[in-house]
Amino acid sequence: MFKFLKEKLKNWAEKISKHEEKEIKEEPRKIIVKEAPKDEKKESFFERIKGKISRVKISEKEFEVYSEELEMLLIENNVALAVAQKIINELKEKVVGKEFLRKEIESEIKDNLKEIIENILVEPFSIIDKIREKMSDQAKEPYVILFCGINGTGKTTTIAKIADHLKRNGITCVLAASDTFRAASIEQIKKHGEKLGIKVISHDYGADPAAVAFDAIKYAKRNFINCVLIDTAGRMHTAKNLIREIEKIARVCKPDLKIFVGESITGNDIIEQVKSFDWAISIDGIVLTKADIDEKGGTALSVGYVLKKPILFLGVGQEMNAIIPFNKENFIKKLGL
């Protein structure tokens, strides 16, 4: 992820350091006689020379030159322009005009950049903890999760992976086949249910998706099942009639959690998608699929910044166990910071 970021920061630090050396060499020699205050300790000649050589101050002009390269690097790695500009502006506030030890310029810039990115990404919560919390209140109400997203993002497979993840952690599930629009969608989720040994509630194609989800919730209540996972038809964020349909599902089922599933390789296109779904049903979290083939990582940053909601899982393959909880620290390490 963020290919060449580490090398770029190193080169940037070296250029700033060399530029400062050049300025020192070209500075005209002046002899200034100044009487030191009586209460102030005098620095020796060598201490003053050492201080001049070992410390560097990054000027605004220098920052502007090298920050253009950094901004382009961020954009090339699928970071939305608004997010890239936020990162650059915050980095500028942290480093311009500040003095650093010459040998520590690179580490100081990296540490500041790391802190900025950490603040952009919202700390994820544990779905398992949320479900267990509701299980412990003895309300006998299942925890309901609604999944949404556009066509072809691997939403149904992601639901099966999360169901398997919950099952391995001792949480019982039922799946609602509320995608009654796409051909073979019901067969697909039923096939996953059979492999996992998890019940799937379904109606015929063309049935009301909200009714399917409602029946799945009733089934969970009757059978003391912990969690209901609702699959929905993939829909473009511009399709207003389909967006209204998912609003109805959310209104009828009152889910505890609404998750947007998107592709990490989509880049900036995902921004408008997730904003539309968030406006319609107020998204609580995000799952990014195909993270195993995404070498850039900027999509996670962009979505985290725009939506101000956590990324909960990353899909990293086709197998049922190929899904991992999102970890901010591990993500930032992969960026080379």
Side-chain angles (χ1 to χ4, degrees), residues 177 179-188 202-208:
D179 180 357
T180 59
F181 176 75
R182 179 174 61 90
S185 61
I186 297 174
E187 286 78 8
Q188 182 187 9
S202 66
H203 291 187
D204 294 332
Y205 284 105
D208 182 356

Side-chain angles (χ1 to χ4, degrees), residues 31-292:
I31 300 174
I32 300 172
V33 179
K34 184 179 178 182
E35 188 177 341
K38 291 181 181 179
D39 59 343
E40 197 175 286
K41 185 180 178 182
K42 287 184 179 180
E43 282 187 321
S44 71
F45 172 77
F46 291 105
E47 284 175 334
R48 281 185 280 132
I49 291 296
K50 183 181 177 183
K52 186 71 174 175
I53 291 173
S54 64
R55 299 192 75 82
V56 173
K57 183 183 287 187
I58 301 175
S59 70
E60 188 168 343
K61 185 177 179 181
E62 285 171 328
F63 183 86
E64 293 298 333
V65 172
Y66 301 120
S67 67
E68 287 180 10
E69 296 180 28
L70 181 58
E71 184 178 66
M72 285 305 301
L73 180 66
L74 293 170
I75 292 169
E76 287 168 4
N77 283 276
N78 284 343
V79 177
L81 178 60
V83 187
Q85 289 175 340
K86 174 184 171 63
I87 292 171
I88 297 298
N89 290 337
E90 290 195 11
L91 186 61
K92 181 178 180 179
E93 289 179 9
K94 289 177 179 290
V95 304
V96 168
K98 308 289 175 61
E99 281 195 349
F100 302 107
L101 290 173
R102 189 183 305 282
K103 64 182 181 179
E104 294 178 356
I105 297 174
E106 182 185 350
S107 62
E108 288 286 349
I109 293 172
K110 283 175 65 176
D111 288 347
N112 280 298
L113 192 56
K114 178 182 176 180
E115 183 182 343
I116 292 165
I117 291 174
E118 282 178 339
N119 291 334
I120 285 175
L121 294 169
V122 178
E123 191 67 41
F125 55 81
S126 166
I127 290 180
I128 289 171
D129 289 346
K130 293 277 188 184
I131 296 170
R132 285 178 177 161
E133 185 180 333
K134 189 167 184 178
M135 287 165 60
S136 66
D137 68 12
Q138 297 181 339
K140 296 183 180 178
E141 293 286 331
Y143 192 89
V144 179
I145 306 176
L146 173 67
F147 293 83
C148 64
I150 69 162
N151 304 295
T153 58
K155 178 167 43 57
T156 303
T157 302
T158 296
I159 293 169
K161 289 179 180 180
I162 291 176
D164 180 55
H165 175 68
L166 297 179
K167 184 179 178 181
R168 284 187 281 109
N169 282 275
I171 295 171
T172 56
C173 303
V174 62
L175 306 180
S178 289
D179 180 357
T180 59
F181 176 75
R182 179 174 61 90
S185 61
I186 297 174
E187 286 78 8
Q188 182 187 9
I189 197 167
K190 280 185 174 180
K191 189 174 180 181
H192 284 309
E194 287 172 8
K195 284 183 179 179
L196 297 171
I198 294 174
K199 177 73 175 178
V200 176
I201 303 299
S202 66
H203 291 187
D204 294 332
Y205 284 105
D208 182 356
V212 180
F214 187 74
D215 285 352
I217 294 169
K218 285 198 301 182
Y219 178 89
K221 287 180 182 179
R222 288 196 307 269
N223 294 276
F224 306 101
I225 291 173
N226 306 137
C227 186
V228 179
L229 307 180
I230 304 172
D231 190 14
T232 61
R235 61 206 71 213
M236 291 303 294
H237 58 289
T238 52
K240 293 181 179 179
N241 59 324
L242 291 175
I243 292 294
R244 282 195 294 270
E245 182 183 89
I246 204 163
E247 286 175 345
K248 179 184 175 183
I249 300 172
R251 191 169 60 250
V252 169
C253 299
K254 297 179 176 57
D256 298 282
L257 191 63
K258 289 155 284 186
I259 294 178
F260 174 85
V261 180
E263 289 182 337
S264 60
I265 56 174
T266 305
N268 288 327
D269 290 344
I270 200 173
I271 302 301
E272 291 306 315
Q273 296 169 11
V274 75
K275 281 167 68 177
S276 295
F277 282 96
D278 187 47
W279 181 84
I281 61 171
S282 187
I283 299 299
D284 299 302
I286 303 154
V287 174
L288 292 177
T289 63
K290 302 183 182 179
D292 53 319

